[in-house]
Amino acid sequence: MEALVLEEKGRISLRPFALPQVTGPRDVRIRVHTVGICGSDIHYYQHGRIGPFVVNEPMVLGHEAAGTVIEVGEEVKHLKAGDRVCMEPGVPDMESRASREGMYNLDPSVRFWATPPVHGCLAPFVVHPAAFTFKLPDNVSFAEGAIVEPLAIGMQAATKAAIRPGDVAVVLGAGTIGMMCALAALAGGCSRAIVCDLVPEKLDLIAGVQGVTAVDIRERRVRDVVSELTGGWGANVVFEASGNEKAFDGIVDLLCPGGCLVLVGMPQKAVPIDVVAVQIKEARIESVFRYANMFERAIQLIASGRIDVKPFISRSFAFADGIKAFEEAASGNPSDVKVQIVME
Ligand code: ZN
């Protein structure tokens, strides 16, 4: 079986690779159909590490996947061969303290696809726990199924914000995750999402979503737009999804009294925050690390038509062209949001 392997920083190959294929009693074996390329895959490709996670030996890439079940373990009840599914890439120890306390995404022993030393899913077949494998309704495509993972991050962010109907949200950063935050915030009840970036192609794309006001930060100050649209009150929620330290400059000023700042992007270094400005507004600060219990909800939002992810699936490449797909995705084409690899 061939897999797309990150050999070391800067070098990917498509070559035979043996991934475990034993289907345990609670596992399913899946023929992989579509895999999205994530910012983290590209980061490992370009830098060989993300924070404490270092690629020390060849690692199969990919964690945003959809496919078809071909075999189920004897104890699996909710799936059968032939089911179209998408997979949640992080598998915690369900007996860990974090899992027992309802935060399985924070289990330190979670095994997450394509996070060293755990291999990813850019291979024709994978084995995965059935509990983290979700059936796709007939009207949800494999491509949509493979974008559920980044959408789940937006859903986690929107959930942490505790949005109320009619809230106004600001999203700083219009990368894939920022766009998913905007979609989730609107689906969660926001009347408006003010999405801010400096790449016109991305702003044009997200501006097509009903309820989005796109702001080019080279032309207008975000605080002026927020003030104008909220009668000077401020936004109920600010999602920081750029990871850019500059975004933190004056970020609390965007919030209304009692508002909530949700930290989604990961800055490269520590950033200062104006504590008194936070206190004067009794603002909440929330953060997200991946997601928990979001896949089912994300799939339902796509299936019901409340969220349309199709405009954000930009291009797809055949598995045989997987290396080219990575090079293209890494090149940062401004009109690309999600690049996917189609296996069959
Ligand atoms: Zn991802």
Side-chain angles (χ1 to χ4, degrees):
M1 180 170 85
E2 295 214 305
L4 206 62
V5 182
L6 177 59
E7 305 286 359
E8 59 185 357
K9 174 182 160 180
R11 190 163 65 90
I12 298 176
S13 57
L14 184 61
R15 63 159 166 105
F17 198 97
L19 287 174
Q21 294 292 315
V22 178
T23 311
R26 296 183 185 180
D27 292 338
V28 291
R29 189 158 180 260
I30 300 146
R31 181 191 297 122
V32 179
H33 186 287
T34 300
V35 181
I37 298 178
C38 181
S40 68
D41 293 312
I42 295 167
H43 203 92
Y44 283 122
Y45 172 41
Q46 293 180 320
H47 304 281
R49 66 182 299 159
I50 295 178
F53 299 102
V54 183
V55 180
N56 288 318
E57 48 197 77
M59 176 182 80
V60 177
L61 289 162
H63 65 255
E64 303 180 356
T68 305
V69 173
I70 52 171
E71 187 189 341
V72 300
E74 57 214 26
E75 293 175 23
V76 174
K77 302 237 163 49
H78 74 288
L79 293 169
K80 59 181 188 314
D83 283 347
R84 297 162 60 260
V85 293
C86 68
M87 292 78 90
E88 182 168 342
V91 179
D93 169 3
M94 291 310 289
E95 293 181 14
S96 69
R97 180 161 181 180
S99 297
R100 287 185 285 112
E101 295 205 8
M103 306 174 288
Y104 73 77
N105 55 318
L106 305 184
D107 174 14
S109 65
V110 66
R111 292 176 54 81
F112 197 97
W113 273 341
T115 302
V118 181
H119 292 297
C121 59
L122 266 162
F125 301 96
V126 291
V127 171
H128 203 60
F132 292 85
T133 303
F134 301 87
K135 193 168 168 7
L136 296 175
D138 291 342
N139 68 339
V140 177
S141 67
F142 288 116
E144 292 169 297
I147 207 172
V148 165
E149 198 271 343
L151 178 57
I153 297 173
M155 303 269 298
Q156 180 86 353
T159 304
K160 283 294 193 84
I163 290 164
R164 290 180 300 167
D167 276 356
V168 172
V170 171
V171 179
L172 301 177
T176 306
I177 297 300
M179 294 194 189
M180 297 300 125
C181 285
L183 298 180
L186 290 165
C190 282
S191 55
R192 190 192 293 273
I194 302 165
V195 182
C196 312
D197 202 291
L198 43 66
V199 180
E201 289 87 344
K202 298 213 190 294
L203 291 168
D204 287 348
L205 194 58
I206 194 69
V209 176
Q210 193 187 2
V212 166
T213 302
V215 177
D216 187 332
I217 58 172
R218 294 170 308 176
E219 290 168 4
R220 294 153 82 197
R221 294 202 317 169
V222 179
R223 74 163 71 183
D224 293 341
V225 178
V226 171
S227 180
E228 185 186 311
L229 292 174
T230 62
W233 178 243
N236 304 92
V237 186
V238 173
F239 297 97
E240 202 312 289
S242 73
N244 190 319
E245 294 108 54
K246 288 184 200 145
F248 286 82
D249 190 19
I251 197 167
V252 181
D253 298 340
L254 304 176
L255 287 171
C256 71
C260 180
L261 170 61
V262 187
L263 304 174
V264 189
M266 291 184 167
Q268 296 284 339
K269 54 184 185 209
V271 289
I273 189 122
D274 186 341
V275 173
V276 176
V278 172
Q279 290 169 323
I280 286 170
K281 289 184 171 172
E282 276 197 349
R284 277 189 302 131
I285 299 182
E286 294 280 354
S287 62
V288 304
F289 185 65
R290 299 171 177 156
Y291 36 72
N293 302 308
M294 290 299 156
F295 267 56
E296 206 71 76
R297 291 167 175 274
I299 292 167
Q300 292 303 336
L301 281 169
I302 294 170
S304 67
R306 295 282 290 115
I307 283 183
D308 182 8
V309 290
K310 290 190 288 295
F312 309 101
I313 300 166
S314 311
R315 285 196 283 169
S316 66
F317 290 81
F319 186 45
D321 298 324
I323 298 170
K324 184 165 176 255
F326 264 84
E327 285 166 358
E328 282 289 315
S331 73
N333 183 336
S335 56
D336 279 347
V337 181
K338 184 53 68 183
V339 174
Q340 294 181 329
I341 294 174
V342 178
M343 310 295 293
E344 41 184 291

